[in-house]
Amino acid sequence: MARSWLIFLCLSFILLSANIEADASHCSIKGFPLVRNISELPQDNYGREGLAHITVAGSILHGMKEIEVWLQTFSPGTRTPIHRHSCEEIFIVLKGSGTLYLASSSHEKHPGKPQEHFFFANSTFHIPVNDAHQVWNTNENEDLQMLVVISRPPVKVFIYEDWSMPHTAAKLKFPYFWDEQCLQSPVKDEL
């Protein structure tokens, strides 16, 4: 029940943020219906074994301007790279558990030693702007599935090799993997 309520609130926020009019035919990009079945949306791992990513509502693919929403599933042991970005990020944990590593020293020369935060199904957490972080599925027996909301899309990601790497040496990845694929495959103007 709590998970359904969180998803309902998040999707309601998406619709309000997108300034969608009452006209059911309105859509920011032709060719995409206003109402979509998540199970029918494209899913890919973008070369990262153990990841399943779906862009539920995106800036490049769907024309979102203020937020972007992803559904991500991590198999046991899978993790994100250590990274930071100039946007806020909210995670809603739908299934599984894991560990968030968060270094809140963006004002220093490098991320520094991260704090560990354990999370679980029906929990939520947020990442402040420019804080280096990493999400791990540390559960050996269950997939980790999360709904992720970011502000100010499309996201510009700075990737670190380790927690002591200077901010100035972090590698910029823009467009990010899922946005890059959308840019290479333009949306058709057909229904």
Side-chain angles (χ1 to χ4, degrees):
M1 176 79 171
R3 181 182 317 156
S4 298
W5 182 245
L6 283 173
I7 292 171
F8 171 77
L9 286 176
C10 186
L11 293 176
S12 297
F13 179 74
I14 292 167
L15 294 175
L16 290 173
S17 297
N19 293 322
I20 293 175
E21 300 169 2
D23 178 6
S25 66
H26 174 79
C27 186
S28 54
I29 294 183
K30 286 186 177 186
F32 285 99
L34 182 62
V35 177
R36 296 178 303 277
N37 182 338
I38 291 174
S39 65
E40 295 173 358
L41 296 177
Q43 176 177 297
D44 201 334
N45 69 1
Y46 301 94
R48 291 176 43 199
E49 191 172 327
L51 170 71
H53 173 92
I54 297 172
T55 298
V56 177
S59 62
I60 294 173
L61 191 58
H62 306 108
M64 301 297 290
K65 293 179 179 33
E66 301 296 327
I67 63 170
E68 192 160 290
V69 180
W70 308 326
L71 179 63
Q72 295 185 324
T73 304
F74 294 81
S75 64
T78 303
R79 63 180 183 242
T80 65
I82 301 168
H83 66 286
R84 69 176 169 86
H85 31 71
S86 58
C87 63
E88 296 169 304
E89 189 172 27
I90 299 169
F91 292 81
I92 301 166
V93 183
L94 304 176
K95 180 174 102 171
S97 60
T99 305
L100 165 67
Y101 295 93
L102 179 66
S104 298
S105 36
S106 46
H107 61 283
E108 302 291 331
K109 293 183 181 195
H110 55 82
K113 182 179 166 102
Q115 295 179 336
E116 287 185 35
H117 302 273
F118 299 100
F119 57 83
F120 45 87
N122 293 319
S123 64
T124 185
F125 56 94
H126 75 279
I127 308 297
V129 173
N130 279 322
D131 278 1
H133 59 284
Q134 183 177 46
V135 175
W136 279 52
N137 179 357
T138 50
N139 184 326
E140 297 176 4
N141 303 309
E142 186 178 18
D143 284 350
L144 168 63
Q145 187 175 58
M146 299 179 291
L147 197 59
V148 183
V149 181
I150 64 160
S151 64
R152 298 187 262 179
V155 65
K156 293 178 184 171
V157 178
F158 293 88
I159 300 174
Y160 297 79
E161 292 174 10
D162 58 47
W163 295 99
S164 61
M165 183 179 202
H167 293 301
T168 55
K171 292 177 179 62
L172 172 64
K173 177 61 180 146
F174 181 78
Y176 206 59
F177 299 106
W178 28 88
D179 293 332
E180 185 176 64
Q181 183 175 358
C182 291
L183 290 171
Q184 292 172 357
S185 305
V187 175
K188 307 272 187 231
D189 277 345
E190 303 168 4
L191 284 175

